[in-house]
Amino acid sequence: MARIFNFSAGPAALPESVLKQAAEEMLDWHGSGQSVMEMSHRGKEYMAIHAQTEADLRELMGIPANYKVLFLQGGATLQFEMIPLNLMRGIGSADYVHTGEWAKKAIKEAKAFGKVNVVATAEDANFSYAPAHSGWKTDPKAAYLHYTANETIGGVEFHWTPETGDVPLVCDMSSNILSKPVDVSKYGLIYAGAQKNIGPAGLTIVIVRDDLIGKGVPTPATMLDYKTHADNDSMYNTPPTYGIYIAGLVFQWLKAQGGLVAIEKKNIEKADLLYDYLDASAFYSNPVRKEDRSRMNVPFTLGNAALDDEFLKGAKAHNMAQLKGHRSVGGMRASIYNAMPLEGVQALVAYMKEFEAAHG
Ligand SMILES: *Cc1c(COP(=O)(O)O)cnc(C)c1O
């Protein structure tokens, strides 16, 4: 059976070569006579996979030695709580930038643990832009400043990194991690659920600076304390071993693509192709301010919403899936993460042209 072009926002498409390798290694990983899924997480085979996965992520992102990489569970959503539990309690307040649906959820959860200052919001224009740093009303005593690097639903992405001085910068990178190089040293903590740009759902990656570990007052419950996981190499309890293994294959794939500089180039090429067409078309439109448009998630609407179902049916007939927009915004959304090949975006644009010619 032919594989579809999968534009899902998450869980999302994985590189085909990674899936093939996983299939080949399914019954017998490297002559061990077992699947990675069946391995003891304390055995030498799995420990080697775990260590290599972390080493490859460190290499790809240039993670400095004074940062811990944690492989956790609970999704980015649990981090909405673990972050204030570990970093805000004891200090009392934190700054948050409100850019849309995901920022809103992070803000809501943090409020249970202290005072949340919303230092900037794009609500005035229906979250269609990233608020300029110059207007942020930050608190120099805040425990941290939190922002959402890419709003997966609204399709708004920060193409710059805020400078926050001594206030640790905390970032939800769930949907654009590994899509481009970032200077990790500018951050106190970066977190991401795996199912957008890393691997299968069930794994959450937290990259946290040493000095921010073990600070929560009162000390968070054991499983919610970064210190527990940092002190035990993410093996305090059984980690999501298979997800970590697949993430490791994705990291090796990324290295083979030329790393993050090379993948960024490809991502720009894909995004430009789609946005240039959207802008040239009188039938489709995207509401996001040009300089803040996401390279990962491209929401768009049809000139006539009554044609949405027909558009989706036609897409399916063209082997393209998951283009329906998020239920909160309607319309369409094409998620074009690292694993989406250029051919997938070319096929989408060709289909959109065909549809516009027939209905525009
Ligand atoms: C998907 C997503 C989340 C939620 O991730 P879960 O793993 O489902 O908890 C949070 N933030 C952003 C930016 C996302 O894209």
Side-chain angles (χ1 to χ4, degrees):
M1 182 205 148
R3 279 178 52 80
I4 51 168
F5 287 123
N6 179 2
F7 293 93
S8 170
L14 285 166
E16 193 168 309
S17 64
V18 164
L19 296 174
K20 281 192 173 139
Q21 187 177 344
E24 276 162 22
E25 295 177 348
M26 177 60 76
L27 296 180
D28 176 13
W29 182 83
H30 294 203
S32 68
Q34 54 187 322
S35 167
V36 174
M37 253 183 266
E38 305 168 301
M39 290 176 181
S40 162
H41 61 295
R42 313 260 178 217
K44 75 173 188 330
E45 291 93 351
Y46 177 74
M47 298 277 272
I49 292 169
H50 192 97
Q52 190 64 49
T53 300
E54 179 179 339
D56 285 338
L57 180 63
R58 283 185 176 276
E59 183 184 330
L60 278 167
M61 292 185 73
I63 299 173
N66 63 324
Y67 285 70
K68 287 277 191 299
V69 173
L70 308 178
F71 296 125
L72 307 180
Q73 303 184 55
T77 304
L78 183 59
Q79 294 311 308
F80 295 164
E81 302 177 350
M82 279 179 78
I83 288 161
L85 267 169
N86 283 266
L87 306 186
M88 176 161 63
R89 282 217 299 188
I91 295 179
S93 77
D95 288 351
Y96 277 73
V97 181
H98 192 357
T99 45
E101 292 289 328
W102 290 114
K104 183 166 121 192
K105 291 200 161 112
I107 289 166
K108 173 173 177 280
E109 298 307 325
K111 281 182 173 166
F113 303 104
K115 186 165 174 289
V116 170
N117 299 313
V118 176
V119 300
T121 172
E123 198 167 7
D124 59 337
N126 201 23
F127 299 109
S128 59
Y129 69 100
H133 194 198
S134 55
W136 297 8
K137 298 188 173 58
T138 54
D139 173 4
K141 293 207 176 67
Y144 56 85
L145 181 137
H146 178 284
Y147 79 109
T148 311
N150 184 64
E151 283 285 356
T152 319
I153 295 170
V156 173
E157 183 172 7
F158 283 83
H159 296 294
W160 44 278
T161 303
E163 299 280 350
T164 50
D166 289 340
V167 174
L169 184 59
V170 171
C171 183
D172 180 355
M173 257 185 220
S174 291
S175 51
N176 69 348
I177 191 168
L178 296 170
S179 68
K180 59 186 172 189
V182 295
D183 182 352
V184 175
S185 73
K186 289 188 170 166
Y187 294 85
L189 187 150
I190 291 168
Y191 65 103
Q195 70 274 21
K196 280 52 184 267
N197 222 1
I198 295 176
L203 167 66
T204 308
I205 292 185
V206 173
I207 301 163
V208 55
R209 211 172 59 211
D210 279 346
D211 62 287
L212 297 173
I213 297 171
K215 292 198 85 148
V217 178
T219 303
T222 308
M223 277 297 284
L224 301 177
D225 191 347
Y226 290 131
K227 190 166 188 320
T228 303
H229 302 288
D231 286 352
N232 291 282
D233 273 331
S234 306
M235 292 215 206
Y236 174 75
N237 72 322
T238 316
T241 52
Y242 199 76
I244 291 168
Y245 156 72
I246 298 287
L249 296 184
V250 171
F251 299 159
Q252 282 164 25
W253 173 81
L254 271 172
K255 283 168 67 177
Q257 303 298 298
L260 301 192
V261 171
I263 207 77
E264 178 182 35
K265 256 198 200 145
K266 290 183 192 173
N267 287 331
I268 290 173
E269 189 184 359
K270 288 184 291 179
D272 282 353
L273 180 64
L274 188 45
Y275 284 119
D276 286 350
Y277 173 61
L278 287 170
D279 287 343
S281 156
F283 182 69
Y284 302 100
S285 57
N286 165 281
V288 180
R289 185 166 71 183
K290 258 189 181 175
E291 56 268 39
D292 303 324
R293 284 172 167 176
S294 169
R295 289 178 194 149
M296 299 285 102
N297 311 97
V298 184
F300 61 91
T301 50
L302 275 54
N304 176 3
L307 293 170
D308 283 2
D309 284 344
E310 195 176 336
F311 180 88
L312 290 166
K313 248 170 79 188
K316 192 168 174 219
H318 286 73
N319 238 7
M320 290 180 272
Q322 302 288 345
L323 283 161
K324 195 177 164 92
H326 189 270
R327 59 188 184 280
S328 66
V329 292
M332 305 296 149
R333 171 175 51 170
S335 294
I336 50 174
Y337 299 114
N338 289 347
M340 173 60 66
L342 177 63
E343 297 74 52
V345 182
Q346 287 168 334
L348 174 61
V349 169
Y351 167 63
M352 288 169 72
K353 281 183 182 162
E354 192 187 304
F355 192 88
E356 178 175 3
H359 301 94

